[in-house]
Amino acid sequence: METVRQEASRESSDYTVFDRLAEARRSCRAFLPDPLPEEMIGRVLRTAQRTPSWNNAQPWQLIITRGKGTERFRRMMQAKAVSSDASRRDFAFPREYAGEYLTRRRACGFQLYAAVGIQRGDKEGYARQTMRNFSFFDAPHVAIVTSEEALGVYGAVDCGGYVSHFMVAAQSLGIGTIAQGALAEYAADIREHFNLPDNRRVVCGISFGWPDHSHPANSFATERATLSEVVTWVSS
């Protein structure tokens, strides 16, 4: 009986820690320039590697930048974002946001704009903030997540699980992260920049590093839908 109680206590503690990390994690939109220790990045990667995947395919592969590699990649992405057609993506972007999805998207955007002092309707301000994506919000590191072309959408789904594990593991070490679908708009350019083979499909990027807690872009948190909005129970 004592063993059962100890096991139950441990499981409760594990849940509390995971729930706290999931609650605390948020998209970091301003980073400090200091690089992370390689050993710390390795810890995040080892935990993320435990991500479950369909048939244990583990389709994710990563390119991780640091130092001059980050700066060279940053310059390329900034240049492409102002001069190139952003349609060289590997996966179709959402056809439209409607209903509650549009409501949530707008709420997130307006929270961000209010935090950084951009007035509603300031289209130039919106554009400037969008361009911050391509400077990686000044992060010292970027991970480009790719999947195998032959695995299609299910490979990308597995990679989504990997991204989630990566970000929560990083949160446990005080590392800020932001998953960036915007980078995947230039998938072909990224493939060329890193000399990736044609069979690797760019899913997204993850910019990461020490968060700048003093920056207003990191001062807000988005809300989550209630369980009643997303769960349907079937009992018979």
Side-chain angles (χ1 to χ4, degrees), residues 94-124:
R95 187 178 68 256
E96 67 172 328
Y97 288 88
E100 65 267 38
Y101 311 114
L102 179 60
T103 299
R104 293 166 189 163
R105 185 174 190 246
R106 283 176 170 169
C108 178
F110 288 142
Q111 280 183 276
L112 171 60
Y113 298 145
V116 297
I118 298 173
Q119 300 298 314
R120 288 200 182 192
D122 181 0
K123 293 183 179 180
E124 290 185 1

CSV table of all heavy atoms in Angstrom, one decimal, residues 94-124:
chain,number,residue,atom,x,y,z
A,94,PRO,N,-2.9,27.8,-44.5
A,94,PRO,CA,-4.4,27.8,-44.3
A,94,PRO,C,-5.1,28.6,-45.5
A,94,PRO,O,-4.7,29.7,-45.8
A,94,PRO,CB,-4.6,28.5,-43.0
A,94,PRO,CG,-3.3,28.2,-42.2
A,94,PRO,CD,-2.2,28.3,-43.3
A,95,ARG,N,-6.2,28.0,-46.0
A,95,ARG,CA,-6.9,28.6,-47.1
A,95,ARG,C,-7.6,29.9,-46.6
A,95,ARG,O,-7.7,30.9,-47.2
A,95,ARG,CB,-7.9,27.6,-47.7
A,95,ARG,CG,-8.6,28.2,-48.9
A,95,ARG,CD,-9.6,27.2,-49.5
A,95,ARG,NE,-10.8,27.0,-48.6
A,95,ARG,CZ,-11.0,25.9,-47.8
A,95,ARG,NH1,-10.1,24.9,-47.9
A,95,ARG,NH2,-12.0,25.8,-47.1
A,96,GLU,N,-8.1,29.8,-45.3
A,96,GLU,CA,-8.7,31.0,-44.7
A,96,GLU,C,-8.9,30.7,-43.2
A,96,GLU,O,-8.9,29.6,-42.8
A,96,GLU,CB,-10.1,31.3,-45.3
A,96,GLU,CG,-11.1,30.2,-45.0
A,96,GLU,CD,-12.5,30.6,-45.5
A,96,GLU,OE1,-12.8,31.8,-45.4
A,96,GLU,OE2,-13.3,29.7,-45.9
A,97,TYR,N,-9.0,31.8,-42.5
A,97,TYR,CA,-9.4,31.7,-41.1
A,97,TYR,C,-10.8,32.3,-41.0
A,97,TYR,O,-11.1,33.4,-41.4
A,97,TYR,CB,-8.4,32.6,-40.2
A,97,TYR,CG,-7.1,32.0,-40.0
A,97,TYR,CD1,-6.1,32.3,-41.0
A,97,TYR,CD2,-6.7,31.2,-38.9
A,97,TYR,CE1,-4.8,31.8,-40.8
A,97,TYR,CE2,-5.4,30.7,-38.8
A,97,TYR,CZ,-4.5,31.0,-39.7
A,97,TYR,OH,-3.2,30.5,-39.6
A,98,ALA,N,-11.7,31.5,-40.4
A,98,ALA,CA,-13.1,31.9,-40.3
A,98,ALA,C,-13.6,31.5,-38.9
A,98,ALA,O,-13.0,30.7,-38.2
A,98,ALA,CB,-13.9,31.2,-41.4
A,99,GLY,N,-14.7,32.1,-38.5
A,99,GLY,CA,-15.3,31.8,-37.2
A,99,GLY,C,-14.4,32.0,-36.0
A,99,GLY,O,-13.7,33.0,-35.9
A,100,GLU,N,-14.4,31.0,-35.1
A,100,GLU,CA,-13.6,31.1,-33.9
A,100,GLU,C,-12.1,31.2,-34.2
A,100,GLU,O,-11.3,31.8,-33.5
A,100,GLU,CB,-13.9,30.0,-32.9
A,100,GLU,CG,-13.5,28.6,-33.4
A,100,GLU,CD,-14.6,27.9,-34.1
A,100,GLU,OE1,-15.4,28.5,-34.8
A,100,GLU,OE2,-14.8,26.7,-33.9
A,101,TYR,N,-11.7,30.6,-35.4
A,101,TYR,CA,-10.3,30.6,-35.7
A,101,TYR,C,-9.8,32.0,-36.1
A,101,TYR,O,-8.7,32.4,-35.7
A,101,TYR,CB,-10.0,29.6,-36.9
A,101,TYR,CG,-10.6,28.3,-36.6
A,101,TYR,CD1,-11.7,27.8,-37.4
A,101,TYR,CD2,-10.2,27.5,-35.5
A,101,TYR,CE1,-12.3,26.6,-37.1
A,101,TYR,CE2,-10.8,26.3,-35.3
A,101,TYR,CZ,-11.8,25.8,-36.1
A,101,TYR,OH,-12.4,24.6,-35.8
A,102,LEU,N,-10.7,32.7,-36.8
A,102,LEU,CA,-10.4,34.1,-37.1
A,102,LEU,C,-10.4,35.0,-35.8
A,102,LEU,O,-9.5,35.8,-35.6
A,102,LEU,CB,-11.4,34.7,-38.1
A,102,LEU,CG,-11.2,36.1,-38.5
A,102,LEU,CD1,-9.8,36.3,-39.2
A,102,LEU,CD2,-12.3,36.5,-39.5
A,103,THR,N,-11.3,34.7,-35.0
A,103,THR,CA,-11.4,35.5,-33.7
A,103,THR,C,-10.2,35.3,-32.9
A,103,THR,O,-9.6,36.3,-32.4
A,103,THR,CB,-12.7,35.0,-32.9
A,103,THR,OG1,-13.9,35.3,-33.7
A,103,THR,CG2,-12.8,35.8,-31.6
A,104,ARG,N,-9.7,34.1,-32.8
A,104,ARG,CA,-8.5,33.8,-32.0
A,104,ARG,C,-7.3,34.4,-32.6
A,104,ARG,O,-6.4,35.0,-31.9
A,104,ARG,CB,-8.3,32.3,-31.8
A,104,ARG,CG,-9.4,31.7,-30.9
A,104,ARG,CD,-9.4,30.1,-31.1
A,104,ARG,NE,-10.5,29.5,-30.4
A,104,ARG,CZ,-10.9,28.3,-30.7
A,104,ARG,NH1,-10.3,27.5,-31.5
A,104,ARG,NH2,-12.0,27.8,-30.1
A,105,ARG,N,-7.2,34.3,-33.9
A,105,ARG,CA,-6.0,34.9,-34.6
A,105,ARG,C,-6.0,36.4,-34.4
A,105,ARG,O,-4.9,37.0,-34.2
A,105,ARG,CB,-6.1,34.6,-36.1
A,105,ARG,CG,-4.9,35.0,-36.9
A,105,ARG,CD,-5.0,34.5,-38.4
A,105,ARG,NE,-3.8,34.7,-39.1
A,105,ARG,CZ,-3.7,35.5,-40.2
A,105,ARG,NH1,-4.8,36.2,-40.6
A,105,ARG,NH2,-2.6,35.6,-40.8
A,106,ARG,N,-7.1,37.1,-34.6
A,106,ARG,CA,-7.2,38.5,-34.4
A,106,ARG,C,-6.8,38.9,-33.0
A,106,ARG,O,-6.1,39.9,-32.7
A,106,ARG,CB,-8.6,39.0,-34.8
A,106,ARG,CG,-8.8,39.1,-36.3
A,106,ARG,CD,-10.2,39.6,-36.6
A,106,ARG,NE,-10.4,39.9,-38.0
A,106,ARG,CZ,-11.6,40.1,-38.5
A,106,ARG,NH1,-12.7,40.0,-37.8
A,106,ARG,NH2,-11.7,40.4,-39.8
A,107,ALA,N,-7.4,38.2,-32.0
A,107,ALA,CA,-7.1,38.5,-30.6
A,107,ALA,C,-5.6,38.4,-30.3
A,107,ALA,O,-5.0,39.3,-29.6
A,107,ALA,CB,-7.9,37.5,-29.7
A,108,CYS,N,-4.9,37.4,-30.8
A,108,CYS,CA,-3.5,37.2,-30.6
A,108,CYS,C,-2.8,38.4,-31.3
A,108,CYS,O,-1.9,39.0,-30.6
A,108,CYS,CB,-3.0,35.9,-31.3
A,108,CYS,SG,-1.2,35.7,-31.2
A,109,GLY,N,-3.1,38.8,-32.5
A,109,GLY,CA,-2.5,39.9,-33.2
A,109,GLY,C,-2.7,41.2,-32.4
A,109,GLY,O,-1.7,42.0,-32.2
A,110,PHE,N,-3.9,41.5,-32.0
A,110,PHE,CA,-4.2,42.7,-31.4
A,110,PHE,C,-3.5,42.8,-30.0
A,110,PHE,O,-3.0,43.9,-29.6
A,110,PHE,CB,-5.7,42.9,-31.2
A,110,PHE,CG,-6.4,43.2,-32.5
A,110,PHE,CD1,-7.6,42.7,-32.8
A,110,PHE,CD2,-5.8,44.1,-33.5
A,110,PHE,CE1,-8.3,43.0,-34.0
A,110,PHE,CE2,-6.4,44.3,-34.7
A,110,PHE,CZ,-7.6,43.8,-35.0
A,111,GLN,N,-3.4,41.7,-29.3
A,111,GLN,CA,-2.6,41.7,-28.0
A,111,GLN,C,-1.2,42.0,-28.3
A,111,GLN,O,-0.6,42.8,-27.5
A,111,GLN,CB,-2.7,40.3,-27.4
A,111,GLN,CG,-4.0,40.0,-26.6
A,111,GLN,CD,-3.9,38.6,-26.0
A,111,GLN,OE1,-4.2,37.6,-26.6
A,111,GLN,NE2,-3.5,38.6,-24.7
A,112,LEU,N,-0.6,41.5,-29.3
A,112,LEU,CA,0.8,41.8,-29.6
A,112,LEU,C,1.0,43.2,-30.0
A,112,LEU,O,1.9,43.9,-29.5
A,112,LEU,CB,1.3,40.9,-30.8
A,112,LEU,CG,2.7,41.2,-31.4
A,112,LEU,CD1,3.8,41.1,-30.3
A,112,LEU,CD2,3.0,40.3,-32.5
A,113,TYR,N,0.1,43.7,-30.9
A,113,TYR,CA,0.3,45.1,-31.4
A,113,TYR,C,0.1,46.1,-30.2
A,113,TYR,O,0.8,47.1,-30.1
A,113,TYR,CB,-0.8,45.4,-32.5
A,113,TYR,CG,-0.6,44.5,-33.7
A,113,TYR,CD1,-1.7,44.1,-34.4
A,113,TYR,CD2,0.7,44.1,-34.1
A,113,TYR,CE1,-1.6,43.3,-35.6
A,113,TYR,CE2,0.8,43.3,-35.3
A,113,TYR,CZ,-0.3,42.9,-36.0
A,113,TYR,OH,-0.2,42.2,-37.1
A,114,ALA,N,-0.9,45.8,-29.3
A,114,ALA,CA,-1.1,46.7,-28.2
A,114,ALA,C,0.2,46.7,-27.3
A,114,ALA,O,0.6,47.7,-26.7
A,114,ALA,CB,-2.3,46.2,-27.4
A,115,ALA,N,0.8,45.5,-27.1
A,115,ALA,CA,1.9,45.4,-26.2
A,115,ALA,C,3.1,46.2,-26.7
A,115,ALA,O,3.8,46.8,-25.9
A,115,ALA,CB,2.3,43.9,-26.1
A,116,VAL,N,3.3,46.2,-28.0
A,116,VAL,CA,4.5,46.9,-28.6
A,116,VAL,C,4.1,48.3,-29.1
A,116,VAL,O,4.9,49.0,-29.7
A,116,VAL,CB,5.1,46.1,-29.7
A,116,VAL,CG1,5.6,44.8,-29.2
A,116,VAL,CG2,4.1,45.9,-30.9
A,117,GLY,N,2.9,48.8,-28.8
A,117,GLY,CA,2.5,50.2,-29.1
A,117,GLY,C,2.1,50.4,-30.5
A,117,GLY,O,2.2,51.6,-31.0
A,118,ILE,N,1.6,49.5,-31.2
A,118,ILE,CA,1.1,49.7,-32.6
A,118,ILE,C,-0.4,49.9,-32.5
A,118,ILE,O,-1.1,49.0,-32.0
A,118,ILE,CB,1.5,48.4,-33.5
A,118,ILE,CG1,3.0,48.3,-33.6
A,118,ILE,CG2,0.9,48.6,-34.9
A,118,ILE,CD1,3.4,47.0,-34.3
A,119,GLN,N,-0.9,51.0,-33.1
A,119,GLN,CA,-2.3,51.3,-33.0
A,119,GLN,C,-3.1,50.5,-34.0
A,119,GLN,O,-2.5,50.1,-35.1
A,119,GLN,CB,-2.5,52.8,-33.3
A,119,GLN,CG,-1.8,53.7,-32.3
A,119,GLN,CD,-2.4,53.5,-30.9
A,119,GLN,OE1,-3.6,53.5,-30.7
A,119,GLN,NE2,-1.4,53.4,-29.9
A,120,ARG,N,-4.3,50.2,-33.7
A,120,ARG,CA,-5.2,49.4,-34.7
A,120,ARG,C,-5.3,50.2,-36.0
A,120,ARG,O,-5.5,51.5,-36.0
A,120,ARG,CB,-6.5,49.2,-34.1
A,120,ARG,CG,-6.5,48.1,-33.0
A,120,ARG,CD,-7.9,47.6,-32.8
A,120,ARG,NE,-8.0,46.6,-31.7
A,120,ARG,CZ,-9.0,45.8,-31.4
A,120,ARG,NH1,-10.1,45.8,-32.2
A,120,ARG,NH2,-8.9,44.9,-30.5
A,121,GLY,N,-5.1,49.5,-37.1
A,121,GLY,CA,-5.2,50.2,-38.4
A,121,GLY,C,-3.9,50.7,-38.9
A,121,GLY,O,-3.8,51.1,-40.0
A,122,ASP,N,-2.8,50.6,-38.1
A,122,ASP,CA,-1.5,51.1,-38.5
A,122,ASP,C,-0.8,49.9,-39.4
A,122,ASP,O,-0.1,49.1,-38.8
A,122,ASP,CB,-0.6,51.4,-37.3
A,122,ASP,CG,0.8,51.9,-37.7
A,122,ASP,OD1,1.1,52.0,-38.9
A,122,ASP,OD2,1.5,52.2,-36.7
A,123,LYS,N,-1.1,50.0,-40.6
A,123,LYS,CA,-0.7,48.9,-41.5
A,123,LYS,C,0.8,48.9,-41.6
A,123,LYS,O,1.5,47.8,-41.8
A,123,LYS,CB,-1.3,49.0,-42.9
A,123,LYS,CG,-2.8,48.7,-42.8
A,123,LYS,CD,-3.5,48.8,-44.2
A,123,LYS,CE,-5.0,48.5,-44.1
A,123,LYS,NZ,-5.6,48.5,-45.5
A,124,GLU,N,1.5,50.0,-41.6
A,124,GLU,CA,2.9,50.0,-41.7
A,124,GLU,C,3.5,49.4,-40.4
A,124,GLU,O,4.5,48.7,-40.4
A,124,GLU,CB,3.4,51.5,-41.8
A,124,GLU,CG,3.1,52.1,-43.2
A,124,GLU,CD,3.8,53.4,-43.4
A,124,GLU,OE1,4.4,53.9,-42.4
A,124,GLU,OE2,3.6,54.0,-44.5
